[in-house]
Amino acid sequence: MSNQILVFLLDTTLGLFSLALLLRFYFQLLRVPYHNPVSQFLIAVTDFIVRPARRIIPGWAGIDLSTLMLAWLLECIVVSIVYVMQGYDFGSNIIAASGAIGLLGIVEIIKTTLYIVLLMIIVQAVLSWVNPNSPLAPLLDSFTRPFLAVFRKNIPPIANVDLSPLFVLILIQVLLMVVAGIHTEIAAMLR
């Protein structure tokens, strides 16, 4: 029972910090406006670890690799802690286990990314009906525009209703199913 509570607390704490790092990475990548409360919060929460990491891990082509690597490392730590708490012995085959943990960290990053996009699109759709002039609208629009643009090019609005969010949400659900299958296959390598 206490192991479950400890795993939950560590998973939640490190998972939320990893989420903050991922959001910071995607906000920079997608050029989300810098001067909004969410961006400022993410910078304030993650700056203590991102700035030193940037000295070690340089960016590439305008991509902040240090923030992405930190999020991946946190996900790997979370996965390792969960397996250790479940009684897995990494000492028996450390190289294969390290590779599997690294792959599971990548899978967790992809899964979290899909959930971020899913949530952003849902919130944007709801706000467009409830309060289109919300202060969050520019942030959500900057974040979701690249994902929605793929479908907006090929699917015109029907009676002034943009159906692209619906198609993106369906695609995300399919991708989440694929990611869950990949996660299961990689986790099976550890058993």
Side-chain angles (χ1 to χ4, degrees), residues 85-155:
M85 293 293 192
Q86 291 175 349
Y88 183 77
D89 180 24
F90 287 106
S92 60
N93 193 355
I94 191 80
I95 295 172
S98 298
I101 293 295
L103 289 174
L104 285 173
I106 292 170
V107 169
E108 288 298 318
I109 292 290
I110 293 168
K111 185 171 75 171
T112 304
T113 298
L114 291 172
Y115 278 120
I116 289 170
V117 174
L118 179 96
L119 184 64
M120 293 271 194
I121 288 175
I122 290 172
V123 170
Q124 182 182 22
V126 170
L127 277 179
S128 73
W129 288 84
V130 176
N131 185 7
N133 298 322
S134 168
L136 282 178
L139 180 139
L140 294 170
D141 182 58
S142 297
F143 191 91
T144 60
R145 188 180 313 122
F147 304 102
L148 297 173
V150 174
F151 291 97
R152 284 180 176 157
K153 288 178 187 173
N154 301 315
I155 302 169

Side-chain angles (χ1 to χ4, degrees), residues 4-115:
Q4 289 175 332
I5 294 170
L6 184 60
V7 167
F8 168 74
L9 291 174
L10 287 172
D11 186 29
T12 302
T13 306
L14 295 178
L16 286 173
F17 192 67
S18 175
L19 174 66
L21 287 166
L22 270 178
L23 282 171
R24 179 178 175 152
F25 170 76
Y26 288 123
F27 279 20
Q28 290 174 346
L29 182 69
L30 299 172
R31 308 283 191 256
V32 172
Y34 177 77
H35 296 291
N36 66 64
V38 177
S39 294
Q40 295 299 316
F41 172 77
L42 293 173
I43 290 168
V45 168
T46 59
D47 226 23
F48 79 95
I49 195 166
V50 170
R51 284 190 185 268
R54 283 184 179 160
R55 289 187 219 130
I56 301 167
I57 306 166
W60 176 73
I63 298 172
D64 184 13
L65 293 178
S66 60
T67 306
L68 183 61
M69 290 295 293
L70 287 170
W72 173 74
L73 284 172
L74 272 176
E75 290 296 339
C76 290
I77 290 169
V78 169
V79 170
S80 299
I81 289 171
V82 168
Y83 276 97
V84 166
M85 293 293 192
Q86 291 175 349
Y88 183 77
D89 180 24
F90 287 106
S92 60
N93 193 355
I94 191 80
I95 295 172
S98 298
I101 293 295
L103 289 174
L104 285 173
I106 292 170
V107 169
E108 288 298 318
I109 292 290
I110 293 168
K111 185 171 75 171
T112 304
T113 298
L114 291 172
Y115 278 120

Side-chain angles (χ1 to χ4, degrees), residues 117 121 147-148 151 163-173:
V117 174
I121 288 175
F147 304 102
L148 297 173
F151 291 97
L163 296 178
S164 58
L166 177 65
F167 289 101
V168 173
L169 294 178
I170 291 170
L171 179 62
I172 288 172
Q173 289 298 323

